Amino acid sequence: MTSKIDIKDLKKLYYSIGEVASFFDVNHSLIRFWEKEFSIIQPKKNSKGNRLFTPKDIENFNKIYTLVKIQGFTLEGAKKELKKKSTIQEVIEIDNSQNSEVIEKLETIKEKLLNLKRII
């Protein structure tokens, strides 16, 4: 089963709670509840106190929705799964940053070797 919304389709910087609720076909109260239950959801609030959700928040709601509503996780199970996935993502990001450093060093060495070849 797939998630409820394609994040690539989001064009605005901020979305109201009503828009987010309609994306997932849920009540506003569930959005507020998940916001309290999951620390990865952190909407901004305007001067009136209205919640303004970023595409990143909506992406996180998408993950929660998929885990809870589609895959049948409990809230605690979903929290553990999200924590596990974020740890895996951190490892991947660290590995990617190390790879880019190695690539940069190799390109520098290649350039120096080509310069030496031209001299000889």
Side-chain angles (χ1 to χ4, degrees), residues 44-66:
K44 308 225 181 299
K45 291 189 180 179
N46 66 13
S47 59
K48 293 181 180 180
N50 297 332
R51 290 166 175 82
L52 301 172
F53 296 94
T54 64
K56 182 67 176 169
D57 289 323
I58 296 170
E59 180 180 356
N60 289 328
F61 269 118
N62 207 24
K63 292 174 186 175
I64 295 166
Y65 183 92
T66 300

Side-chain angles (χ1 to χ4, degrees), residues 15-99:
Y15 294 85
S16 70
I17 193 169
E19 290 172 307
V20 176
S22 69
F23 290 157
F24 297 98
D25 195 25
V26 298
N27 293 325
H28 296 148
S29 59
L30 183 62
I31 300 296
R32 288 190 295 271
F33 177 71
W34 281 355
E35 174 193 338
K36 289 177 186 158
E37 287 293 313
F38 293 90
S39 60
I40 61 172
I41 307 294
Q42 297 182 347
K44 308 225 181 299
K45 291 189 180 179
N46 66 13
S47 59
K48 293 181 180 180
N50 297 332
R51 290 166 175 82
L52 301 172
F53 296 94
T54 64
K56 182 67 176 169
D57 289 323
I58 296 170
E59 180 180 356
N60 289 328
F61 269 118
N62 207 24
K63 292 174 186 175
I64 295 166
Y65 183 92
T66 300
L67 290 171
V68 175
K69 296 288 189 178
I70 296 176
Q71 295 180 357
F73 279 73
T74 63
L75 292 182
E76 287 305 312
K79 288 176 188 177
K80 288 178 184 174
E81 187 70 13
L82 288 169
K83 187 174 182 178
K84 183 170 45 171
K85 286 182 179 181
S86 70
T87 303
I88 291 169
Q89 186 61 34
E90 287 171 8
V91 169
I92 290 169
E93 287 171 4
I94 289 169
D95 191 42
N96 285 343
S97 70
Q98 289 173 345
N99 285 344

